[in-house]
Amino acid sequence: MLNILILGFTSLLTDVSSEMIYPILPVFLVSTLGASPAILGLIEGIAESAASLLKVFSGYWSDRMKRRKPFTIFGYANSAAGKLFLFFASSWSFVLIGRIIERFGKGIRTAPRDALIAEATASGKTGAAFGLHRSLDALGAVVGVILAYFIVVYYKGDIRNIFLMSLVPAFLGVILLFLVKEKKAAEGKKSLRIKFEWRTLDKKLKLFLAFTFLFTLGNSSNQFLLLKARNAGNSLTAVILLYLVYHISRVIFTYPVSRLSDKIGRKKVLVFGYFIYGLVYLGFALNTSLNMFWILFGVYGLYMGFTEGVEKALITDIAPGDLKATIMGLHATLVGIGLLPASLLAGLFWKFISPAAPFYFGAIMGIVSSAGLWFILKGR
């Protein structure tokens, strides 16, 4: 339990750091640096996908070496360092480099960290454990967005200094990680020879990973949600508060829903979560009311509560025991790879068709994936 709390508070501090700058970044790119929505999609897509390729390899080597902690610490430290490039940004290329380095760190840390959580969890409580971790992560996002709001309202200096301020909680989170205790089974220095073959995996696991990738093709960067709200006429401070509503909703629902999945099964929860996503994106496509954005961002947080902890728990349930970090990394890699075409398509749809087009596409992918999960997870 102690490891779960330490990792949760590390994620909390890291998200405080990230969300201090995340709602400001699209406006900084478009208004200050003169980048287009298509460039925004390119940056987010390349950063997420390039770094995500590391996730499966990081998970594999973590399983092979039977070590989790060094990968986790190095990954979080790398993510913190990437924010320095945002401070020095004079063009969108600096932002691209900073985002790649920051996501590179996430690519290294994600699978080993999730394996640490799984190994510290009692049988039958996997959903609750991941739900607690993701809730603390979401709470950090709430604090970060609140800080972003007050900084934008009261801070009159260079917006780049906000990027510098964000380094403080990021490095505090890294320091906290040194308190994590690895299980004895993961302490040995001798690497373990493991074998990973796609064809030997559980059929339901393979289909789940395939539909996760399909869903991701319609799941473009959240930056487009913020940009849509801004272009509809909301002020920058209102956009930040909308983003805050999303994260508050995540905090409220993630832990209880993930815990509920331990009792009623992952399938029902995930199917409903993907379906909510489809409806929310349809709402973003059709919405013309400023007031409706408050509801849409709140329901979008509900979708996250129904999926992010439950997906990780499902993978822990059905992944082979000696390949948990590898499979978690594979899942994260597939999601990351899908984010490149997802964000590129969103930027192109926005520019050449209409600002509503990427959201119609996301709605279709969400509803199709929800139906697919219902059938492939039948009986589990």
Side-chain angles (χ1 to χ4, degrees):
M1 186 63 179
L2 181 60
N3 275 0
I4 297 171
L5 289 174
I6 292 172
L7 292 166
F9 279 106
T10 293
S11 288
L12 184 153
L13 289 166
T14 302
D15 253 33
V16 169
S17 171
S18 296
E19 301 303 338
M20 283 176 66
I21 61 178
Y22 193 86
I24 299 170
L25 195 56
V27 178
F28 176 69
L29 269 169
V30 174
S31 302
T32 304
L33 300 182
S36 68
I39 291 295
L40 173 62
L42 178 70
I43 290 172
E44 290 300 302
I46 290 178
E48 291 285 355
S49 293
S52 69
L53 292 173
L54 290 170
K55 293 177 181 178
V56 65
F57 295 108
S58 176
Y60 172 81
W61 280 103
S62 175
D63 281 332
R64 182 167 180 175
M65 297 176 67
K66 302 303 292 179
R67 297 301 303 272
R68 317 294 190 196
K69 185 175 175 179
F71 291 91
T72 306
I73 292 175
F74 181 71
Y76 274 104
N78 211 69
S79 292
K83 294 181 175 68
L84 276 173
F85 282 82
L86 303 182
F87 172 71
F88 291 111
S90 58
S91 68
W92 64 263
S93 59
F94 279 79
V95 177
L96 173 61
I97 294 170
R99 288 290 286 161
I100 288 175
I101 293 174
E102 195 269 334
R103 295 290 89 181
F104 178 88
K106 185 171 184 178
I108 293 172
R109 76 183 187 238
T110 298
R113 180 204 64 202
D114 289 346
L116 274 172
I117 294 171
E119 290 166 356
T121 304
S123 178
K125 296 184 178 180
T126 311
F130 280 107
L132 175 61
H133 176 263
R134 301 315 299 164
S135 293
L136 288 171
D137 180 272
L139 181 60
V142 168
V143 175
V145 175
I146 291 173
L147 287 174
Y149 174 79
F150 282 106
I151 289 170
V152 168
V153 171
Y154 297 107
Y155 179 68
K156 304 303 179 183
D158 191 336
I159 195 172
R160 288 178 177 81
N161 290 330
I162 301 174
F163 302 146
L164 199 60
M165 296 175 197
S166 72
L167 292 173
V168 177
F171 281 109
L172 286 175
V174 174
I175 293 170
L176 192 60
L177 282 174
F178 286 91
L179 299 176
V180 168
K181 302 292 184 182
E182 285 191 273
K183 284 189 174 183
K184 290 183 179 180
E187 288 177 352
K189 295 183 179 179
K190 186 177 180 180
S191 44
L192 176 70
R193 198 167 193 79
I194 61 175
K195 188 176 183 181
F196 170 65
E197 292 182 353
W198 174 263
R199 62 183 178 83
T200 64
L201 297 181
D202 182 290
K203 182 179 179 181
K204 290 183 185 291
L205 175 58
K206 289 190 286 188
L207 288 172
F208 170 70
L209 292 172
F211 270 94
T212 298
F213 179 75
L214 178 67
F215 172 77
T216 304
L217 291 178
N219 187 11
S220 55
S221 169
N222 288 345
Q223 300 278 7
F224 288 98
L225 302 179
L226 302 175
L227 197 58
K228 181 74 159 59
R230 182 76 172 97
N231 284 4
N234 288 289
S235 65
L236 176 58
T237 52
V239 169
I240 293 173
L241 290 177
L242 287 168
Y243 198 49
L244 176 62
V245 168
Y246 154 66
H247 283 299
I248 290 174
S249 181
R250 280 180 65 203
V251 171
I252 292 172
F253 291 106
T254 297
Y255 178 68
V257 171
S258 298
R259 188 174 180 181
L260 179 65
S261 76
D262 287 332
K263 299 179 179 180
I264 68 172
R266 319 289 184 211
K267 170 187 168 180
K268 295 175 184 177
V269 177
L270 275 179
V271 167
F272 188 59
Y274 277 27
F275 186 70
I276 291 174
Y277 176 90
L279 293 182
V280 168
Y281 260 55
L282 183 61
F284 270 97
L286 297 172
N287 182 44
T288 57
S289 167
L290 292 183
N291 290 331
M292 184 57 67
F293 279 108
W294 298 99
I295 297 174
L296 289 173
F297 273 93
V299 180
Y300 188 60
L302 177 63
Y303 141 73
M304 292 295 290
F306 269 77
T307 56
E308 58 179 347
V310 180
E311 283 183 338
K312 294 177 184 294
L314 175 64
I315 294 169
T316 298
D317 291 343
I318 58 183
D322 60 343
L323 289 172
K324 285 194 184 299
T326 304
I327 301 302
M328 287 177 175
L330 177 60
H331 172 260
T333 291
L334 289 173
V335 170
I337 290 173
L339 286 174
L340 175 56
S343 293
L344 281 176
L345 284 172
L348 294 173
F349 285 161
W350 183 299
K351 182 175 182 178
F352 295 108
I353 301 178
S354 75
F359 301 104
Y360 280 121
F361 181 67
I364 293 170
M365 292 295 101
I367 293 171
V368 168
S369 299
S370 174
L373 284 182
W374 177 264
F375 288 105
I376 67 173
L377 296 179
K378 186 177 181 180
R380 182 167 289 279

